[in-house]
Structures are given as C-alpha cells and as structure tokens.
Amino acid sequence: RFAWAVQPRNYILASCHTANVLAQSNQVRRWAEYRQQVNPQGATSEIATIGGTLGAIGAVVVGTMLVRKPLQNALVTSKSVPGMMSSLAAHPAGPFYIHFWAPNFKWMLSVNNLLDYDRPVEKISVSMMSALTLTGVIFMRWSFVITPVNYSLFAVNLALSASSGYHLGRKLKADYVDTK
C-alpha cells in the first residue's frame, strides 16, 4: 500500500511487496502442511487457532480503516485537542496515513540489527545484510523524492543502512581480511 500511496508511484516497490506477500503466503502453506505431517491430531486445532488470530487481526485492520477518517476529522476540528496533536493528525505523513506507519514498522529491522551488534560472524548472511544496506541507502534518497517528503522514512533507512552495513563490514572482514 505504501508504494502505491506515495507520489511518484513506486512500481518496483509495489511489485517487491506483492512478491513478498506471495512468498510469505507460500511459507504459511508449507508450515501448515508440515504441521499436519508431524502432528496430525493437534495440527488442525493449531492451524484453526492461527487462522482465527489472523482473521481477528484482519478485522481490526478493516475496522481501523473504517474509523480513521472520522477520527482524524474529530481530532483536527476539535477545539479541545492541543495544537500540536491537531497538526500531527492533519499532516499527510501523520498517524492516519500509511506514510507514518510503514517507516515505524521498519524500525524493527534496525532495532534487531542493533540488538545483534555482537552476533557471531558465522551467523551473519552476506546477502541479507547487503540487501538491507542497499535498501537503506536507496530509500534514504527516496524519502526526499516522494510527496509528502518523509523524514521518518529517511531516519529509519539511515539507521537500517548503518546497522546492517556494520554487520556486513564485520562479516566481510572476518571472511576476507582476517583469514590471511
């Protein structure tokens, strides 16, 4: 959704997100098949529980989308809401738009990298850290090209490229420099 909501539209990001959703859906299907092979008696209830949880999450998302505009209008027009909160609610990169939430969820990647600062280099993936570093660098630039300009997106991608670049540097040093 984020790739479609920004201007100019990012068709490459939209196609990557679509491919990711399809790949993750396939992983869920494979997990369900595996659970049924390993534990035929308990798998059905386990799969049903996960399905119910995902259904509840979907209902919350749909409900949130339905009340977002009326809630935003109430916050923007209310005289009892402080000016800063009203301005934040009205901003095109504020909490009532995807421009706010996409970068904030992306912080989990950076936080994970920061928490793993001393991870053994044997467990660091060159391809994953290269992809994360490059993603951070590309989207730092993208955050200033899109409308609205998104400083939160810039900050999260700066942290992502720096933290994953740190791990990538550690891995390359261990594999190619320290082996001599």
Side-chain angles (χ1 to χ4, degrees):
R1 177 150 155 49
F2 178 76
W4 199 254
V6 297
Q7 293 297 327
R9 288 205 169 116
N10 190 337
Y11 297 106
I12 294 171
L13 181 62
S15 62
C16 289
H17 284 179
T18 302
N20 188 29
V21 167
L22 293 173
Q24 294 300 324
S25 298
N26 187 47
Q27 287 296 94
V28 170
R29 179 194 60 79
R30 289 179 60 211
W31 169 82
E33 286 177 358
Y34 172 77
R35 295 304 301 163
Q36 287 179 334
Q37 290 172 357
V38 172
N39 183 10
Q41 293 84 11
T44 305
S45 65
E46 190 177 353
I47 293 168
T49 301
I50 300 255
T53 303
L54 291 175
I57 290 170
V60 168
V61 168
V62 168
T64 302
M65 295 301 292
L66 291 174
V67 300
R68 120 183 131 86
K69 283 293 185 184
L71 182 59
Q72 181 187 21
N73 289 335
L75 287 171
V76 169
T77 58
S78 175
K79 301 292 183 201
S80 62
V81 175
M84 184 177 144
M85 284 185 60
S86 179
S87 297
L88 179 64
H91 196 277
F96 291 97
Y97 296 97
I98 193 69
H99 307 293
F100 176 82
W101 292 104
N104 285 312
F105 280 109
K106 197 172 187 179
W107 273 109
M108 291 303 105
L109 294 171
S110 298
V111 168
N112 185 53
N113 277 343
L114 294 170
L115 291 175
D116 280 349
Y117 73 95
D118 61 351
R119 181 181 198 134
V121 290
E122 305 83 46
K123 293 186 175 187
I124 295 175
S125 167
V126 172
S127 59
M128 178 186 284
M129 289 303 145
S130 297
L132 288 173
T133 302
L134 188 59
T135 297
V137 169
I138 290 169
F139 283 99
M140 279 192 297
R141 171 69 180 121
W142 180 254
S143 67
F144 292 112
V145 173
I146 60 174
T147 303
V149 171
N150 197 329
Y151 297 105
S152 175
L153 183 64
F154 174 80
V156 71
N157 282 297
L158 176 64
L160 180 64
S161 64
S163 61
S164 56
Y166 167 74
H167 288 298
L168 180 61
R170 287 180 56 228
K171 177 67 170 176
L172 294 176
K173 181 178 181 275
D175 287 356
Y176 299 108
V177 177
D178 292 345
T179 59
K180 294 178 182 177

